[in-house]
Amino acid sequence: MERFRLLENWIRTQFPDKPFTLAPASADASFRRYFRVTFSDGTLIAMDAPPPQEDCAPFVHVAGLFAASGAHVPEILAQDLAQGFLLLCDLGSTTYLQALNGDADNTNRLYRDAVAALVKIQLASQANVLPDYDETLLLRELNLFPDWYLGRHLHVVPEATQKAELERIFQRIVQNNLAQPRVFVHRDYHSRNLMVTTPNPGIIDFQDAVYGPITYDLVSLFKDAYISWDEERILDWLIRYWEQARKLGLPVAGDFADFYRDFEWMGVQRHIKVLGIFSRLNYRDGKSDYLAHLPLVEEYLRKACERYRELHPLLTLLDEWTVTKSPEAKVGYTF
């Protein structure tokens, strides 16, 4: 309540002669909160990012970079970095997740727009502008898996041999990730962070952007933790991206088979991380809704491990740690 009052007072200083109401606008996986500010003649979005848990400066920095690329991000109308407050233009309340209603033409249009925006961001990439998605960060994310998914969610303590094997697998995954060409990476480019807007999409929640593997945001988009698509459709979208990226000079692999393998291995890193993060959100932060999304992420991880011989040891560990499900028909690609 104290933060709410501080925010309310700060907004009043921006608009001393305009009455407004303040209501929650969206939930967030971090300490950030978003409020819709409603005036008689329109709405704005207020971000509350309480120091020291959060820092608005990266959001402001990345917003400038992405806007300069031509992507549609919220304009920052006022800021108080010391208090952790931003006032943003309102991109509306319809996320991609809410708009994806099963209509194939609508779905393809939305994803075509999302890929076009992502390509703009990638084409604007520069080294030494955003933090590097380096080995330290990749491994830190992977280690959320044993700490939170295995330890807290499955109540599993890996044996010494299992722990050593998992560490070897992690190194193998990171080796692939670090060998990929690097671009600006949003890090959560998925259906909850893309808004249906004009121009489309509106992009939010980009404050954790880094400079890293070119396939990462494609994994976030096409292997979304909140909505699933059949592998044939993902493959079609991915081929279309790859063809477009090559024409525009983005540093994708010249052979699609190599590019697809990079996409899959990047996905393994992200899925392992997400299992850890979603478990932590439940057990540490009391956000239990995220547990409902674990099965889809587990399925993504298993399917990728089945496809690549080097990842079979991880599949073996997963079988040892989890209840084995009945065999299902396996549909996949073996590039």
Side-chain angles (χ1 to χ4, degrees):
M1 286 303 296
E2 182 184 354
R3 290 290 304 174
F4 185 85
R5 284 194 295 271
L6 286 172
L7 177 61
E8 201 170 35
N9 290 336
W10 178 71
I11 297 171
R12 281 200 189 95
T13 66
Q14 310 302 313
F15 303 96
D17 302 319
K18 293 184 69 173
F20 63 87
T21 60
L22 202 56
S26 67
D28 195 276
S30 71
F31 291 97
R32 287 182 300 275
R33 298 186 301 168
Y34 296 89
F35 297 90
R36 181 161 278 106
V37 189
T38 302
F39 302 94
S40 60
D41 58 351
T43 61
L44 298 174
I45 294 294
M47 179 198 292
D48 171 23
Q53 293 97 335
E54 301 290 342
D55 181 5
C56 289
F59 184 96
V60 174
H61 178 51
V62 178
L65 293 174
F66 284 10
S69 78
H72 185 198
V73 297
E75 181 184 355
I76 299 170
L77 304 173
Q79 56 184 280
D80 186 329
L81 301 186
Q83 289 197 88
F85 297 145
L86 295 179
L87 202 57
L88 314 170
C89 68
D90 190 352
L91 298 186
S93 56
T94 304
T95 66
Y96 263 41
L97 186 59
Q98 293 165 325
L100 291 165
N101 54 14
D103 179 88
D105 289 340
N106 180 58
T107 297
N108 286 329
R109 178 183 64 81
L110 290 175
Y111 277 82
R112 185 168 59 247
D113 289 349
V115 167
L118 179 60
V119 166
K120 288 179 182 178
I121 291 169
Q122 292 179 336
L123 285 169
S125 301
Q126 306 170 56
N128 305 314
V129 173
L130 291 175
D132 285 332
Y133 212 165
D134 57 14
E135 181 177 7
T136 299
L137 180 53
L138 287 162
L139 284 173
R140 185 189 311 147
E141 293 177 338
L142 287 169
N143 282 317
L144 295 171
F145 175 83
D147 293 344
W148 291 97
Y149 178 72
L150 293 182
R152 294 295 299 274
H153 185 63
L154 297 182
H155 305 290
V156 164
V157 178
E159 299 172 1
T161 54
Q162 292 175 324
K163 185 177 180 182
E165 181 65 30
L166 187 63
E167 289 173 355
R168 282 192 292 271
I169 294 165
F170 282 1
Q171 287 293 340
R172 212 169 295 149
I173 293 167
V174 169
Q175 185 178 16
N176 167 277
N177 302 160
L178 292 175
Q180 295 188 29
R182 293 189 295 169
V183 293
F184 287 165
V185 176
H186 179 294
R187 274 176 90 191
D188 276 310
Y189 198 77
H190 56 63
S191 61
R192 285 188 170 182
N193 290 331
L194 298 174
M195 311 299 294
V196 179
T197 59
T198 302
N200 195 56
I203 302 169
I204 61 173
D205 205 27
F206 42 73
Q207 60 281 332
D208 295 325
V210 290
Y211 186 65
I214 195 168
T215 61
Y216 190 93
D217 282 338
L218 294 164
V219 172
S220 303
L221 183 64
F222 297 148
K223 292 192 174 186
D224 192 325
Y226 306 107
I227 189 168
S228 65
W229 306 106
D230 61 69
E231 292 188 319
E232 289 82 3
R233 176 175 276 185
I234 292 174
L235 186 64
D236 179 66
W237 286 336
L238 199 61
I239 289 171
R240 291 174 186 273
Y241 162 84
W242 176 75
E243 290 173 340
Q244 183 180 357
R246 291 186 72 202
K247 288 178 183 176
L248 293 172
L250 282 170
V252 294
D255 187 315
F256 181 75
D258 294 334
F259 177 72
Y260 184 78
R261 185 179 188 276
D262 284 347
F263 170 80
E264 288 277 85
W265 279 66
M266 192 72 252
V268 169
Q269 193 276 347
R270 177 166 170 82
H271 305 327
I272 291 171
K273 172 183 82 168
V274 169
L275 290 174
I277 288 176
F278 283 7
S279 298
R280 184 176 68 181
L281 284 166
N282 176 66
Y283 298 105
R284 188 192 71 181
D285 303 332
K287 299 181 179 182
S288 59
D289 290 352
Y290 287 92
L291 290 187
H293 305 294
L294 289 181
L296 177 57
V297 182
E298 291 164 348
E299 181 183 0
Y300 287 145
L301 179 58
R302 283 183 166 274
K303 283 187 174 180
C305 289
E306 288 166 0
R307 276 196 270 270
Y308 297 94
R309 184 177 61 254
E310 306 97 314
L311 293 172
H312 286 179
L314 178 54
L315 195 60
T316 299
L317 289 176
L318 292 172
D319 287 338
E320 292 172 357
W321 290 329
T322 61
V323 177
T324 304
K325 300 176 182 178
S326 59
E328 299 174 353
K330 297 179 176 62
V331 179
Y333 300 91
T334 54
F335 292 110

